[in-house]
Amino acid sequence: MPTLIIAEHDNQTLRSATRSAITAADQFSESVDLLIIGHNVGALAEQGARLNGVTRVRVIDDALYANPVAEDLAPLVAGIASQYRAVVTAATSFGKNLLPRVAALLDLDMVSDVTAIIDASTYLRPIYAGNLNAKVRNDSAIKLLTVRPTAFEATQDRDTVSPIETLAAQASTDLARWISTEIQKSDRPELSTARVVVSGGRSLGSAEKFQEVIAP
């Protein structure tokens, strides 16, 4: 059975974390579907269809999902989850907000922050603030995983194009509604996708000491 990747995007481009999730899924699945949910996402579907490792792109395009909330997305994912051996998202704020809701609707366990795929049911994930790695086995009928983007290379584009399929939208659950979005602009990379993060902490005492010791 194939694996489903839930795409994360900004309505213009697919986030690099989704490309990393595709790489992770490709390690234990011969077929990977990419699910894109949003409004006027035809261009995003074309982007996804050119990603290496993607077998098919499935699109749910409706004005309801112009600013989607996890409470409305979770029933969509849960409704098609039985068609897959696994459902995977990146371990970003988006994925961590969505996939536990899917797990609750399906009454299944999930594994978060996966950093390595051992086989289709066995994974590595950090514990104790990253000081130890735990080997976790999940024997659920449908595997639900969030994967750390920094642990998997982002898949690249290819010349061939995968088929695109349109799925029907559902009515809103009315459990939550979008009011506004505030995005803080920064030249710094997102921590969830940064390959290396350097932090001086309190032990260095000052910004000057940090520059002297860590970043000369």
Side-chain angles (χ1 to χ4, degrees):
M1 295 180 69
T3 292
L4 179 67
I5 303 293
I6 307 170
E8 183 176 354
H9 59 84
D10 60 3
N11 292 316
Q12 295 181 346
T13 58
L14 295 172
R15 297 197 180 277
S16 61
T18 295
R19 291 174 175 258
S20 297
I22 293 169
T23 299
D26 199 40
Q27 293 184 12
F28 66 89
S29 182
E30 296 180 356
S31 178
V32 175
D33 284 358
L34 180 66
L35 177 63
I36 300 176
I37 305 173
H39 183 46
N40 294 328
V41 292
L44 285 172
E46 293 177 3
Q47 290 179 33
R50 291 189 176 277
L51 292 179
N52 190 39
V54 172
T55 307
R56 176 177 59 171
V57 177
R58 310 187 81 179
V59 179
I60 302 177
D61 193 330
D62 193 276
L64 172 63
Y65 309 119
N67 295 286
V69 293
E71 288 79 0
D72 285 339
L73 299 186
L76 294 176
V77 178
I80 61 173
S82 62
Q83 303 172 28
Y84 297 95
R85 69 184 300 175
V87 178
V88 179
T89 71
T92 59
S93 296
F94 171 84
K96 292 177 180 180
N97 189 28
L98 174 59
L99 206 60
R101 300 175 191 276
V102 176
L105 290 173
L106 297 174
D107 194 22
L108 292 173
D109 295 327
M110 64 166 285
V111 182
S112 60
D113 291 297
V114 170
T115 56
I117 307 292
I118 298 175
D119 58 41
S121 301
T122 313
Y123 325 101
L124 287 184
R125 66 178 304 273
I127 59 175
Y128 295 113
N131 291 301
L132 293 174
N133 287 319
K135 182 185 290 187
V136 179
R137 182 171 180 84
N138 184 350
D139 291 323
S140 297
I142 305 171
K143 321 302 186 203
L144 304 176
L145 311 175
T146 63
V147 299
R148 285 201 175 180
T150 53
F152 302 92
E153 292 291 336
T155 192
Q156 302 301 310
D157 294 345
R158 64 186 178 195
D159 294 331
T160 56
V161 179
S162 299
I164 299 174
E165 174 188 356
T166 300
L167 302 179
Q170 296 181 11
S172 172
T173 61
D174 292 325
L175 295 174
R177 63 187 178 91
W178 174 84
I179 296 177
S180 65
T181 301
E182 296 182 10
I183 301 176
Q184 183 177 1
K185 299 293 184 179
S186 175
D187 294 332
R188 300 175 180 178
E190 295 183 21
L191 291 181
S192 61
T193 57
R195 177 65 62 183
V196 176
V197 177
V198 179
S199 176
R202 293 193 180 101
S203 59
L204 295 176
S206 66
E208 292 76 14
K209 192 67 174 177
F210 179 87
Q211 290 294 330
E212 176 184 341
V213 176
I214 303 297

